[in-house]
Amino acid sequence: MDKEERKIINQGQEDEMEIYGYNLSRWKLAIVSLGVICSGGFLLLLLYWMPEWRVKATCVRAAIKDCEVVLLRTTDEFKMWFCAKIRVLSLETYPVSSPKSMSNKLSNGHAVCLIENPTEENRHRISKYSQTESQQIRYFTHHSVKYFWNDTIHNFDFLKKLLYGVNEIAVKVPSVFKLLIKEVLNPFYIFQLFSVILWSTDEYYYYALAIVVMSIVSIVSSLYSIRKQYVMLHDMVATHSTVRVSVCRVNEEIEEIFSTDLVPGDVMVIPLNGTIMPCDAVLINGTCIVNESMLTGESVPVTKTNLPNPSVDVKGIGDELYNPETHKRHTLFCGTTVIQTRFYTGELVKAIVVRTGFSTSKGQLVRSILYPKPTDFKLYRDAYLFLLCLVAVAGIGFIYTIINSILNEVQVGVIIIESLDIITITVPPALPAAMTAGIVYAQRRLKKIGIFCISPQRINICGQLNLVCFDKTGTLTEDGLDLWGIQRVENARFLSPEENVCNEMLVKSQFVACMATCHSLTKIEGVLSGDPLDLKMFEAIGWILEEATEEETALHNRIMPTVVRPPKQLLPESTPAGNQEMELFELPAIYEIGIVRQFPFSSALQRMSVVARVLGDKKMDAYMKGAPEVIASLCKPETVPVDFQNVLEDFTKQGFRVIALAHRKLESKLTWHKVQNISRDAIENNMDFMGLIIMQNKLKQETPAVLEDLHKANIRTVMVTGDSMLTAVSVARDCGMILPQDKVIIAEALPPKDGKVAKINWHYADSLTQCSHPSAIDPEAIPVKLVHDSLDDLQMTRYHFAMNGKSFSVILEHFQDLVPKLMLHGTVFARMAPDQKTQLIEALQNVDYFVGMCGDGANDCGALKRAHGGISLSELEASVASPFTSKTPSISCVPNLIREGRAALITSFCVFKFMALYSIIQYFSVTLLYSILSNLGDFQFLFIDLAIILVVVFTMSLNPAWKELVAQRPPSGLISGALLFSVLSQIIICIGFQSLGFFWVKQQPWYEVWHPKSDACNTTGSQFWNFSHVDNETELDEHNIQNYENTTVFFISSFQYLIVAIAFSKGKPFRQPCYKNYFFVFSVIFLYIFILFIMLYPVASVDQVLQIVCVPYQWRVTMLIIVLVNAFVSITVEESVDRWGKCCLPWALGCRKKIPKAKYMYLAQELLVDPEWPPKPQTTTEAKALVKENGSCQIITIT
């Protein structure tokens, strides 16, 4: 086999990876061992941090089939490396049990082929393994999933069909020791350890001790939070992870086993009183009411029915394959709670286990939490680049120190210590702690306003959001729907709309009977619960729902499972029943309808139906409700009113949600038993159209104001909903997402059919301002705001695209080059499935938008996780998938989150700039002093690093967010013209004034090379100061700390740190002004006063500790003047860069107009001059035949 082979595992999936095979090489291992010893263990650390280097340094390439180690690389944008050891599983010692084929187990006619179940072929494969591989199977584990070697595809595979492990989602809580080692081996802490050792050898014990204390506090707090998260996740997963379950064996025997022993193919009995599902299973008998909030965030109980029979004919068995997504209405997912079960004729409620352990839906959710994708953000990439620049600067200082020391004949030991010391000065050890301070404070402020965050690093990213997607129902609009009225149909004509449905006239009408029976409501502990829409509909008619008890259901096979009846006051006593053949005396005392069979709502079919029977009637009735277009297509054409389309459009344009009802009498030959086995299609056809139910979905009170704030801040808003297109467009207009004068272009994409290529039909939805001619839409009036972020251009937006989920899928597949253009103006996406919402987020991110997503948790999990900033309005466990969760279910949390994100981002910039300046100022101070073989004293370092730097860093991060969102956007990275110019200008200013002080002091008439008997203070008559320092004369200053240059540089640099802190503490427009940050103001004033005081009025004890020498009073005043001029220049330059940097810098550097970096901005500029865009009304865009190669398309105008 080719030794350079590369395989792909999990192809086409989110966790797709390349895999390479390696074998251990003894000679390479020996060389690496020698390198580890020579480098003092540093090489070992390097190989620990870099898995790719580790494998390549110790192994040689080998065929994947025979390798000992595999190297894995993700195929996403992060290209992360992992390595795993190949292990061998012996089939002799490992009991392989393969469940019997499904056809033996399914005795009730529900013979659907399960994709996930083992077959004879698998058993044959196992026997093949035992012959060819000496009863051994090779596998490796990555991210809690085992991958087995598959001989037929010559690659590693899940091979769930072959071998099943224990059914458990094991979240191991690592021991404190393991976590400690992992945390301590972080490159940052290793650098700190190196610094501490170095300072200790140079007798800087105090500073070394301070850094050790800081590191210990940091490590302990980090360990605590990491372990707490592990414990929380473990507890969440461990709850009900091991329970006793009943399983059907051969000859219908019931055996009780632990849930950990379940394997796919087992038939599990669901207990009467419900359970928490320990695996994914598909129902084959009975019905269940399930709470799926753990997975979807939707707290409404869902009714699960048994798997339908795809074909009465046995040949049809292979026609349909079971899929958990397609058949989710019949699947009980792991982690969800079965509240109630229902069964008939003494049969048990049974389900076949299809997935176990980490393969289940809950397992996949836990894996996504355990192994999250890294957040890729420009700030962090730039921060590493900036650190590399500092390392380069440190390298220059390192070389300079060595050369300078050799020229001055300094001892070798001193040269090594001082040259390495310059590196620890340039790369500040406190940098990571300083960078996270702003995020920690922002997280605390978010918590105060009810927004909880599980991924703090994303707070900074939220500061960059320039597009937010909103779910509609429950997010932009109220959660529930109100019944506005009904519009019945008689003789294929619409009657006038009626508001009150609860009246005597309608009580026995088929319309009300349909409203009473066609729903998925159930009683849980005596309370009616189910879909909010069904609840509103049922409450509107005022009927009563009664369910048969478990005893009745088990005893009688023909008992009506659920009965509905009107309240007595609505039943006129003298009126005969609907069945006119019956005599009056035969009329039953009560009017009841029993629900015989239910076909639950399917989002794919967009309808639900029931078979019901009025008590005493011989024939059964079929009732159906659903999307009006779908219901009308299943009705007899003569029963559908001619003006159906116009009436429907009128309602949907006003933002109403419309549901259509239909009915038909079933043949008398259809018995109860036949109905239980009949297919859905046999019932749902040839119906009589009965009319429309009009539901009103009110906008939340705060929605328009919040969207207006976002628009003012140049943040695009997009609606992603499962509702109908016209309703969504209407809501978008009502809430201000689409302005009254804007055009809405509906893209209706059709897939290839009968040899014809895919095409898009463009329709212009009616707006308030009618266009007399298609060319009235000016292609020049494209939103310039996408190119120039100014508020005036907001009014330039002229058109928006709207499409449904089906069209979106067709466009993604067949019109790939149109996707970016549609993303630029797509505002309404209707009838979107959960996975399509995720695809939309990805498509928007592909054109460089920073995308936020706000949803109520139901069906939004994938999109919330994929977005740069996902905020869930649901407090349920599904919010585990979302980085942010809002306590208040209102979209007002979105601008709050963006404001805090912007404040945290600007804080990060300020802190980074300040820390960079701090390291350069200190680096230059030390470099200047090294030139005279001096240095800063231990307590001088301690005073600067602890008293000044730490206090300033942790208080300058406290500025709260500015009270409103502004149109201006913060920079996304550190490598930008204005920001670099700001840092460089401050570096030059600080170096200039420090050099001025250093060289000017040497020009003073009183200056001499300092020695213990120097007496420069006599020039000012400061006898007291001189007298107080007599004791020092006996002490020898080995490091030459005490001298005039040191004192001058120390005072000037101490003030420079504070000057730079004030210059960089930005306020408006993203943060509150720094004078409102009282801790910062107090700290800076206190430090200014203290340094000023010890400079102008020296205190002997302080000077002795800080190793400051006596200088004349006149020189102290001169230093004060230098500091004041430095402060004036620094603050003036920084203000100028802030005010005119953006416009003047490109001009000053002679740059021509640059191409925008973001793809969407570049695209917007291109579309400004594209005469063919936007598409004209009533035109069609067809995909070319070679769509698979390049996805190109052409525009054909239909005349």
Side-chain angles (χ1 to χ4, degrees):
M1 191 177 278
D2 177 20
K3 292 206 171 188
E4 293 299 309
E5 70 176 334
R6 181 193 72 173
K7 300 275 187 188
I8 303 283
I9 56 171
N10 303 331
Q11 199 152 10
Q13 295 175 37
E14 199 179 342
D15 52 352
E16 182 181 277
M17 288 178 289
E18 293 171 356
I19 179 169
Y20 306 88
Y22 283 87
N23 279 341
L24 275 168
S25 163
R26 287 185 180 178
W27 65 269
K28 278 192 171 185
L29 212 56
I31 293 169
V32 168
S33 303
L34 191 67
V36 169
I37 294 162
C38 294
S39 64
F42 181 71
L43 180 62
L44 193 66
L45 278 171
L46 202 63
L47 296 179
Y48 169 78
W49 295 327
M50 312 289 283
E52 181 198 2
W53 293 9
R54 182 164 77 245
V55 172
K56 287 181 178 177
T58 56
C59 304
V60 288
R61 284 296 294 268
I64 295 175
K65 186 184 177 184
D66 310 309
C67 65
E68 297 169 3
V69 177
V70 288
L71 191 60
L72 307 160
R73 187 174 78 159
T74 59
T75 54
D76 56 17
E77 68 272 28
F78 302 107
K79 302 277 186 272
M80 290 175 70
W81 291 93
F82 301 95
C83 69
K85 197 177 177 184
I86 298 291
R87 299 184 184 279
V88 175
L89 185 75
S90 172
L91 289 179
E92 288 175 340
T93 57
Y94 195 92
V96 176
S97 62
S98 177
K100 294 184 178 178
S101 65
M102 288 300 154
S103 49
N104 297 342
K105 292 204 169 185
L106 300 181
S107 54
N108 59 346
H110 301 283
V112 171
C113 275
L114 299 178
I115 288 175
E116 322 253 358
N117 66 293
T119 57
E120 295 294 334
E121 183 195 343
N122 290 342
R123 280 199 292 280
H124 167 68
R125 227 187 274 175
I126 289 179
S127 61
K128 189 171 126 184
Y129 273 109
S130 46
Q131 292 160 17
T132 60
E133 297 288 330
S134 310
Q135 297 166 340
Q136 287 185 335
I137 295 177
R138 304 169 72 254
Y139 74 96
F140 69 89
T141 306
H142 174 67
H143 283 182
S144 302
V145 174
K146 282 193 173 87
Y147 295 85
F148 293 90
W149 175 256
N150 185 341
D151 239 352
T152 52
I153 60 168
H154 296 289
N155 197 357
F156 282 94
D157 191 10
F158 277 120
L159 279 190
K160 292 181 285 185
K161 299 174 184 174
L162 193 74
L163 296 157
Y164 303 102
V166 176
N167 172 33
E168 65 174 350
I169 301 166
V171 178
K172 290 175 183 170
V173 179
S175 65
V176 176
F177 180 72
K178 250 187 186 177
L179 283 175
L180 181 68
I181 295 296
K182 198 176 178 183
E183 190 71 16
V184 167
L185 292 181
N186 182 310
F188 161 63
Y189 289 120
I190 296 296
F191 178 68
Q192 280 200 334
L193 183 67
F194 163 73
S195 304
V196 166
I197 293 166
L198 185 70
W199 294 328
S200 301
T201 56
D202 204 17
E203 297 175 6
Y204 288 167
Y205 299 120
Y206 300 106
Y207 188 44
L209 186 68
I211 288 293
V212 166
V213 169
M214 273 173 57
S215 299
I216 288 170
V217 169
S218 173
I219 289 169
V220 167
S221 62
S222 180
L223 282 184
Y224 174 75
S225 60
I226 292 169
R227 191 171 162 80
K228 190 180 171 186
Q229 282 176 348
Y230 267 112
V231 169
M232 275 172 65
L233 189 61
H234 175 268
D235 292 348
M236 185 187 102
V237 172
T239 318
H240 313 287
S241 63
T242 308
V243 289
R244 292 193 76 84
V245 290
S246 299
V247 178
C248 277
R249 297 298 189 205
V250 190
N251 304 327
E252 296 295 314
E253 282 179 23
I254 306 292
E255 184 188 340
E256 211 171 77
I257 61 168
F258 282 109
S259 58
T260 47
D261 297 331
L262 285 171
V263 292
D266 277 337
V267 178
M268 180 183 165
V269 177
I270 312 295
L272 281 174
N273 53 351
T275 182
I276 289 178
M277 289 301 293
C279 58
D280 285 358
V282 60
L283 262 180
I284 53 166
N285 245 10
T287 56
C288 290
I289 294 152
V290 184
N291 182 346
E292 291 190 328
S293 63
M294 192 269 164
L295 289 179
T296 62
E298 184 65 83
S299 56
V300 175
V302 183
T303 303
K304 302 278 183 172
T305 56
N306 55 341
L307 201 64
N309 192 357
S311 172
V312 180
D313 190 3
V314 183
K315 289 176 187 173
I317 289 174
D319 292 349
E320 189 178 358
L321 292 171
Y322 167 78
N323 182 295
E325 271 306 304
T326 317
H327 298 95
K328 65 180 176 187
R329 276 286 177 183
H330 316 291
T331 306
L332 304 171
F333 292 106
C334 180
T336 59
T337 310
V338 178
I339 305 166
Q340 274 185 10
T341 60
R342 297 213 190 122
F343 56 93
Y344 312 112
T345 333
E347 282 192 15
L348 298 169
V349 178
K350 296 176 191 169
I352 292 180
V353 177
V354 287
R355 296 188 298 195
T356 57
F358 277 103
S359 306
T360 62
S361 44
K362 183 181 178 181
Q364 285 160 8
L365 176 68
V366 172
R367 276 183 71 210
S368 70
I369 298 164
L370 273 176
Y371 313 107
K373 274 194 171 184
T375 48
D376 182 37
F377 190 38
K378 202 166 180 290
L379 173 69
Y380 303 123
R381 292 203 305 273
D382 290 354
Y384 287 120
L385 278 174
F386 217 89
L387 275 175
L388 283 174
C389 293
L390 290 178
V391 169
V393 171
I396 296 164
F398 181 77
I399 294 161
Y400 163 78
T401 308
I402 292 171
I403 294 167
N404 184 55
S405 301
I406 291 168
L407 291 173
N408 286 288
E409 298 175 358
V410 178
Q411 291 175 1
V412 177
V414 178
I415 294 175
I416 292 168
I417 290 170
E418 289 193 343
S419 52
L420 289 174
D421 196 25
I422 204 103
I423 295 171
T424 65
I425 288 166
T426 319
V427 183
L431 182 64
M435 288 289 283
T436 52
I439 296 171
V440 170
Y441 295 144
Q443 191 176 2
R444 202 177 292 167
R445 287 195 298 270
L446 284 171
K447 199 172 180 180
K448 278 183 186 171
I449 54 172
I451 300 171
F452 299 95
C453 172
I454 59 164
S455 178
Q457 294 301 330
R458 293 215 186 206
I459 297 175
N460 270 347
I461 302 175
C462 288
Q464 276 296 306
L465 296 183
N466 49 17
L467 184 147
V468 184
C469 295
F470 291 97
D471 182 35
K472 184 180 79 72
T473 312
T475 305
L476 295 172
T477 58
E478 295 289 352
D479 216 351
L481 291 157
D482 295 318
L483 186 78
W484 179 84
I486 61 168
Q487 191 155 14
R488 292 185 297 139
V489 168
E490 274 185 16
N491 304 323
R493 285 186 184 176
F494 277 114
L495 304 177
S496 352
E498 300 162 78
E499 274 187 45
N500 186 17
V501 196
C502 187
N503 62 45
E504 290 181 13
M505 301 293 291
L506 296 174
V507 71
K508 290 192 179 178
S509 66
Q510 298 288 11
F511 194 96
V512 170
C514 183
M515 288 176 75
T517 55
C518 200
H519 53 70
S520 56
L521 299 177
T522 185
K523 276 194 172 175
I524 297 170
E525 294 176 0
V527 179
L528 207 59
S529 66
D531 186 274
L533 186 143
D534 287 347
L535 266 172
K536 284 279 179 192
M537 201 173 71
F538 193 75
E539 283 167 6
I541 56 171
W543 282 40
I544 297 153
L545 181 136
E546 286 178 356
E547 289 179 335
T549 61
E550 286 158 6
E551 291 78 14
E552 288 174 320
T553 324
L555 290 171
H556 311 286
N557 63 349
R558 287 198 181 213
I559 194 88
M560 295 298 183
T562 304
V563 172
V564 289
R565 56 183 171 79
K568 285 180 181 176
Q569 60 268 29
L570 282 181
L571 281 172
E573 288 175 24
S574 56
T575 314
N579 188 346
Q580 290 173 6
E581 291 173 17
M582 293 173 67
E583 295 295 328
L584 190 61
F585 60 83
E586 289 178 41
L587 182 70
I590 49 169
Y591 175 70
E592 282 184 355
I593 305 174
I595 301 165
V596 180
R597 175 92 193 268
Q598 194 183 77
F599 298 99
F601 176 79
S602 159
S603 50
L605 301 173
Q606 296 183 346
R607 62 179 186 267
M608 81 164 287
S609 57
V610 291
V611 175
R613 181 159 64 179
V614 177
L615 191 67
D617 266 17
K618 288 174 186 172
K619 291 183 180 179
M620 294 188 191
D621 298 276
Y623 296 107
M624 180 166 65
K625 73 162 189 206
E629 303 91 333
V630 176
I631 300 297
S633 68
L634 294 169
C635 289
K636 298 174 195 165
E638 62 270 17
T639 65
V640 181
V642 185
D643 57 346
F644 163 74
Q645 207 61 43
N646 297 335
V647 170
L648 178 63
E649 269 191 38
D650 282 347
F651 282 125
T652 50
K653 276 178 195 168
Q654 292 172 59
F656 291 116
R657 181 154 178 196
V658 183
I659 295 155
L661 305 184
H663 158 261
R664 79 173 166 107
K665 278 271 181 203
L666 297 175
E667 301 81 11
S668 52
K669 63 180 182 182
L670 270 177
T671 61
W672 189 91
H673 274 296
K674 281 181 182 173
V675 166
Q676 295 310 311
N677 293 313
I678 201 165
S679 74
R680 189 169 187 158
D681 297 338
I683 297 289
E684 293 173 346
N685 63 50
N686 217 22
M687 311 281 272
D688 295 333
F689 191 80
M690 287 202 299
L692 305 171
I693 296 175
I694 300 104
M695 311 289 282
Q696 194 174 20
N697 194 197
K698 292 175 186 169
L699 275 179
K700 283 185 179 175
Q701 199 176 345
E702 64 278 359
T703 297
V706 169
L707 294 182
E708 192 184 351
D709 285 349
L710 292 173
H711 287 161
K712 280 180 182 172
N714 271 352
I715 294 168
R716 253 188 78 190
T717 51
V718 170
M719 186 190 294
V720 194
T721 176
D723 214 332
S724 73
M725 170 78 74
L726 290 170
T727 305
V729 170
S730 166
V731 171
R733 284 196 184 280
D734 290 347
C735 67
M737 206 175 267
I738 298 173
L739 299 173
Q741 67 272 22
D742 292 353
K743 276 282 173 192
V744 177
I745 306 169
I746 295 173
E748 183 196 7
L750 304 168
K753 199 178 179 184
D754 304 328
K756 291 179 183 176
V757 293
K759 60 180 182 179
I760 305 173
N761 297 323
W762 306 99
H763 309 289
Y764 277 47
D766 292 336
S767 64
L768 300 180
T769 50
Q770 294 292 327
C771 278
S772 55
H773 195 268
S775 63
I777 290 168
D778 179 10
E780 295 295 311
I782 287 171
V784 187
K785 75 180 177 95
L786 294 171
V787 190
H788 309 291
D789 290 345
S790 68
L791 200 60
D792 301 332
D793 296 325
L794 198 60
Q795 302 304 319
M796 297 294 282
T797 311
R798 288 275 181 260
Y799 64 93
H800 303 260
F801 288 109
M803 66 194 79
N804 61 24
K806 285 179 185 172
S807 297
F808 179 67
S809 291
V810 172
I811 291 166
L812 273 187
E813 192 177 343
H814 299 283
F815 297 89
Q816 283 166 10
D817 59 342
L818 276 186
V819 173
K821 294 181 182 181
L822 292 171
M823 290 305 106
L824 205 61
H825 292 285
T827 303
V828 175
F829 295 86
R831 297 274 187 237
M832 296 285 275
D835 58 327
Q836 289 173 334
K837 289 183 180 182
T838 311
Q839 287 168 347
L840 172 66
I841 300 285
E842 284 174 352
L844 289 163
Q845 287 171 338
N846 287 343
V847 288
D848 293 343
Y849 276 112
F850 281 93
V851 185
M853 170 75 197
C854 182
D856 59 356
N859 303 327
D860 298 323
C861 282
L864 287 167
K865 264 167 63 185
R866 174 68 65 211
H868 290 110
I871 183 160
S872 164
L873 303 184
S874 159
E875 277 196 271
L876 296 152
E877 284 179 48
S879 57
V880 162
S882 172
F884 300 96
T885 307
S886 174
K887 206 174 182 181
T888 49
S890 143
I891 65 164
S892 57
C893 61
V894 174
N896 287 337
L897 179 63
I898 297 173
R899 281 190 308 106
E900 287 296 349
R902 286 180 173 187
L905 187 59
I906 291 299
T907 299
S908 293
F909 286 139
C910 292
V911 168
F912 207 96
K913 283 162 70 178
F914 175 71
M915 292 301 281
L917 257 292
Y918 147 62
S919 63
I920 295 294
I921 291 169
Q922 198 172 71
Y923 164 76
F924 197 72
S925 301
V926 172
T927 308
L928 281 175
L929 294 173
Y930 274 3
S931 69
I932 58 161
L933 303 180
S934 180
N935 199 350
L936 287 173
D938 194 3
F939 281 99
Q940 288 176 342
F941 272 124
L942 206 61
F943 176 74
I944 291 167
D945 291 325
L946 296 185
I948 301 179
I949 304 305
L950 284 185
V951 170
V952 166
V953 158
F954 289 114
T955 55
M956 83 188 291
S957 305
L958 282 168
N959 285 36
W962 185 242
K963 49 185 177 284
E964 58 191 42
L965 272 179
V966 291
Q968 190 183 337
R969 204 167 289 143
S972 59
L974 290 163
I975 315 296
S976 68
L979 214 136
L980 285 178
F981 186 74
S982 161
V983 171
L984 289 171
S985 59
Q986 293 300 330
I987 287 174
I988 292 162
I989 292 163
C990 290
I991 287 175
F993 281 100
Q994 237 184 89
S995 304
L996 176 69
F998 181 79
F999 293 111
W1000 198 3
V1001 73
K1002 291 183 177 183
Q1003 306 304 316
Q1004 298 306 307
W1006 47 264
Y1007 175 81
E1008 61 177 341
V1009 175
W1010 193 88
H1011 51 85
K1013 291 185 181 179
S1014 292
D1015 203 8
C1017 294
N1018 272 341
T1019 53
T1020 62
S1022 293
Q1023 295 298 327
F1024 167 77
W1025 193 93
N1026 195 35
F1027 175 75
S1028 68
H1029 278 257
V1030 170
D1031 294 341
N1032 284 350
E1033 293 181 15
T1034 54
E1035 291 177 19
L1036 283 171
D1037 185 7
E1038 289 177 20
H1039 295 285
N1040 188 23
I1041 304 296
Q1042 289 173 305
N1043 53 60
Y1044 301 122
E1045 291 92 334
N1046 170 290
T1047 302
T1048 304
V1049 166
F1050 171 72
F1051 279 125
I1052 293 174
S1053 65
S1054 295
F1055 278 112
Q1056 282 181 336
Y1057 299 125
L1058 297 174
I1059 292 163
V1060 167
I1062 292 167
F1064 285 159
S1065 281
K1066 300 287 193 302
K1068 280 176 70 176
F1070 305 116
R1071 305 198 305 167
Q1072 297 278 5
C1074 63
Y1075 59 78
K1076 285 197 174 180
N1077 182 352
Y1078 303 118
F1079 285 108
F1080 176 67
V1081 172
F1082 173 77
S1083 304
V1084 170
I1085 290 172
F1086 177 78
L1087 283 166
Y1088 260 123
I1089 292 168
F1090 178 75
I1091 300 167
L1092 205 59
F1093 181 77
I1094 63 168
M1095 186 173 87
L1096 295 177
Y1097 302 98
V1099 178
S1101 55
V1102 174
D1103 289 352
Q1104 194 175 343
V1105 169
L1106 291 174
Q1107 292 175 282
I1108 294 167
V1109 300
C1110 161
V1111 288
Y1113 189 79
Q1114 190 187 348
W1115 180 243
R1116 296 171 191 281
V1117 175
T1118 308
M1119 282 196 291
L1120 179 60
I1121 293 164
I1122 292 172
V1123 165
L1124 290 172
V1125 175
N1126 185 347
F1128 175 76
V1129 173
S1130 286
I1131 290 166
T1132 307
V1133 168
E1134 188 60 24
E1135 284 298 313
S1136 306
V1137 170
D1138 262 7
R1139 197 163 293 182
W1140 298 299
K1142 260 193 173 179
C1143 54
C1144 298
L1145 271 176
W1147 173 80
L1149 297 169
C1151 298
R1152 55 190 173 81
K1153 195 176 181 184
K1154 61 172 185 175
I1155 297 165
K1157 284 181 185 174
K1159 285 179 193 168
Y1160 72 88
M1161 287 186 176
Y1162 176 69
L1163 197 60
Q1165 282 188 353
E1166 274 191 343
L1167 294 182
L1168 281 168
V1169 291
D1170 187 350
E1172 294 295 330
W1173 197 262
K1176 303 288 183 287
Q1178 309 308 318
T1179 58
T1180 300
T1181 303
E1182 288 191 355
K1184 284 185 179 175
L1186 299 171
V1187 67
K1188 283 185 182 174
E1189 286 180 29
N1190 56 12
S1192 58
C1193 53
Q1194 58 186 354
I1195 291 183
I1196 303 161
T1197 308
I1198 309 295
T1199 51

